[in-house]
Amino acid sequence: MKVLIYSAKDFEIPYLIQANNKKHTLSFTEEALSSETAMKAVGYDAISIFSADEACFITIEKLKDFGIKYITLRSVGYDNVNLRTAKRLHIKVANVPAYSPYAIAEHAVALLQTLNRKLIESNFRVNHYNFNLNGLVGFDLNQKTVGIIGTGKIGSVMSRIMYGFGCTLLGYDIEENVVLKERYNMRYTTLKELCNQADIISLHLPLNTETHQLINDDLISEMKDGVILINTARGAIINTEDVIEGLKNKKIGALGMDVYENEKSIFFKNRSQELPNDDLLLKLNAMPNVLITGHHAFLTEEALTNIAETTIYNLNCWDSGKDTENELTN
C-alpha cells in the first residue's frame, strides 16, 4: 500500500526503510499532520504519525475524505488521536504499545544523576579551567526512597534500576505489580504518602483525563522539601506553572524533564534562531536546577528498530486483511 510518513526525522528514516524491506511504497514529509497538512495524504492508503502530530476530529474527517483507511502511530501514546471519530469513520488506528522501556527508564536515570551530581555545572567549570568544587555536592542514591508513579513496563524497569542503586521503592498505580513487590520490595501506597516519603519521584504514566496535570500545587505541597522530580512520560501530567512555583520556593529541589506540556508547537525542530513564544519554557530554561531534553528519551538504536518494525508490521497486517493486536479502534 502507499503510505505517507508524517513528521519524518532523518534519524528514523533508515530504520523504517529497512523494516519495510520494499513491501510498501513509503513517502516521507517533515511536516506534522494537522488539518492544514492533511491534504498531503491525497492518493495514499495509510499514514504514519508521531506524538507531535494532531489527528483531531476535523483532521480525521479530512483524512477520510482523502481516502485514508489506516493510521499507524510511531509512538506508545495516542492522546493526539481522536479514536472515537476514527472508529466512527472506519479508519483503523494502531500504535507501538512497547518498543524499549529500557531507553526511557535509562534516560530518566541519566536526568536524575545529571541533576543530583551537578554534572552540567561541573563540566562547564572544567571547560573554563575552573576546578572549584563548591556548590557541587550531591547525595548517594543508596538508601534513598524513590517513588515510582506508574509501574507498567517503563516504571518496572526504572524500579529495577533504582533497586540496584540500593533505593527503597514506593509505587503508585491502579494495578499493583506483584513481581516488583516480590523481587524488589516495592511498597504500594497512596499518592499523598508517596509524596510525603519520597526523596525522588519519577513519572511513568500515560496521559488521560485521570492523569492530566496530576502533579499540581495540591500534590506538590505534600512532597518532601527538596524532592527531585523526573518526568519522561507526558508533559501535561504536570502543571508547569505549579511546578515552577515549587522550584522557586525550593519545595522541589530539581526537575528533570524530557517532555513538556506545550511541546507540540516547539519540539523536534531547530529553533536556535528564534526565541519560542512560551514564557513557561523560558522560565524553566533559566533555572539552574532544571534539566530539559527535547523528547529524545526513546532515541536508542534498539527503540528505533522496534518502532519501525512494529509500524511496518501494523501496515502488513492491514494490507493482508488481518487485524493487528496493536489496533486501538477495535
Side-chain angles (χ1 to χ4, degrees):
M1 65 175 73
K2 292 185 64 178
V3 185
L4 178 60
I5 312 291
Y6 279 96
S7 296
K9 312 292 190 298
D10 289 344
F11 59 76
E12 66 173 335
I13 291 175
Y15 293 91
L16 288 164
I17 291 174
Q18 182 175 351
N20 184 49
N21 196 26
K22 301 181 180 179
K23 169 73 173 177
H24 307 283
T25 302
L26 304 183
S27 299
F28 302 92
T29 177
E30 293 182 359
E31 290 192 77
L33 174 66
S34 67
S35 59
E36 287 77 28
T37 62
M39 185 173 291
K40 286 182 171 289
V42 172
Y44 291 90
D45 305 296
I47 63 169
S48 176
I49 64 174
F50 194 56
S51 57
D53 293 285
E54 184 181 356
C56 64
F57 171 86
I58 296 173
T59 302
I60 290 179
E61 287 206 325
K62 287 186 176 182
L63 290 172
K64 176 66 175 180
D65 291 339
F66 297 151
I68 293 300
K69 304 176 186 68
Y70 312 104
I71 301 174
T72 180
L73 292 99
R74 305 190 307 283
S75 61
V76 176
Y78 48 87
D79 51 279
N80 56 327
V81 181
N82 189 319
L83 294 178
R84 182 177 299 177
T85 301
K87 187 172 183 177
R88 177 174 59 82
L89 297 177
H90 306 290
I91 295 178
K92 294 191 174 185
V93 182
N95 70 337
V96 180
Y99 40 88
S100 175
Y102 305 99
I104 311 299
E106 289 170 11
H107 192 84
V109 177
L111 291 172
L112 167 61
Q113 282 294 65
T114 301
L115 287 165
N116 174 34
R117 302 307 301 267
K118 317 290 194 297
L119 297 185
I120 292 177
E121 172 62 20
S122 180
N123 181 250
F124 178 82
R125 292 185 191 183
V126 170
N127 284 338
H128 293 79
Y129 301 99
N130 175 2
F131 301 99
N132 189 314
L133 299 181
N134 291 330
L136 299 181
V137 178
F139 56 78
D140 291 354
L141 292 182
N142 184 50
Q143 296 188 359
K144 293 300 182 294
T145 299
V146 179
I148 308 292
I149 302 180
T151 56
K153 291 182 177 68
I154 298 170
S156 294
V157 174
M158 184 66 173
S159 300
R160 268 173 45 193
I161 295 172
M162 300 315 295
Y163 181 81
F165 276 109
C167 298
T168 299
L169 301 179
L170 298 178
Y172 176 82
D173 208 323
I174 56 175
E175 186 175 329
E176 297 185 3
N177 188 318
V178 176
V179 174
L180 296 182
K181 293 170 68 175
E182 293 178 350
R183 292 186 185 176
Y184 308 114
N185 300 323
M186 172 170 278
R187 183 169 66 86
Y188 280 86
T189 182
T190 63
L191 266 179
K192 181 177 179 180
E193 185 179 351
L194 184 148
C195 291
N196 284 161
Q197 298 185 22
D199 302 294
I200 300 155
I201 296 174
S202 192
L203 306 177
H204 302 284
L205 296 161
L207 178 62
N208 53 43
T209 55
E210 298 298 320
T211 63
H212 182 257
Q213 296 197 341
L214 179 71
I215 307 301
N216 54 31
D217 186 57
D218 290 339
L219 206 56
I220 292 169
S221 67
E222 301 291 344
M223 295 179 184
K224 292 180 70 172
D225 292 343
V227 65
I228 294 183
L229 180 63
I230 305 294
N231 185 14
T232 54
R234 281 289 184 268
I237 289 174
I238 70 174
N239 182 311
T240 307
E241 290 188 16
D242 290 353
V243 167
I244 289 174
E245 190 59 35
L247 287 160
K248 285 181 179 178
N249 62 32
K250 296 183 169 39
K251 190 68 174 179
I252 299 174
L255 169 67
M257 49 191 281
D258 184 56
V259 290
Y260 173 55
E261 65 175 315
N262 301 323
E263 69 179 55
K264 280 187 179 180
S265 60
I266 301 172
F267 280 16
F268 305 113
K269 291 185 179 180
N270 182 356
R271 303 191 184 279
S272 57
Q273 301 304 311
E274 57 180 305
L275 197 63
N277 184 23
D278 191 304
D279 289 342
L280 296 179
L281 184 60
L282 296 179
K283 288 178 182 179
L284 288 168
N285 252 338
M287 293 181 166
N289 54 344
V290 174
L291 176 58
I292 307 171
T293 54
H295 203 138
H296 87 260
F298 73 100
L299 216 57
T300 67
E301 292 181 358
E302 293 81 0
L304 290 172
T305 298
N306 292 338
I307 290 170
E309 289 179 348
T310 304
T311 297
I312 300 302
Y313 168 79
N314 290 335
L315 293 170
N316 289 345
C317 288
W318 290 328
D319 193 42
S320 60
K322 297 187 299 185
D323 289 331
T324 166
E325 62 271 26
N326 304 321
E327 194 165 318
L328 302 167
T329 45
N330 284 334

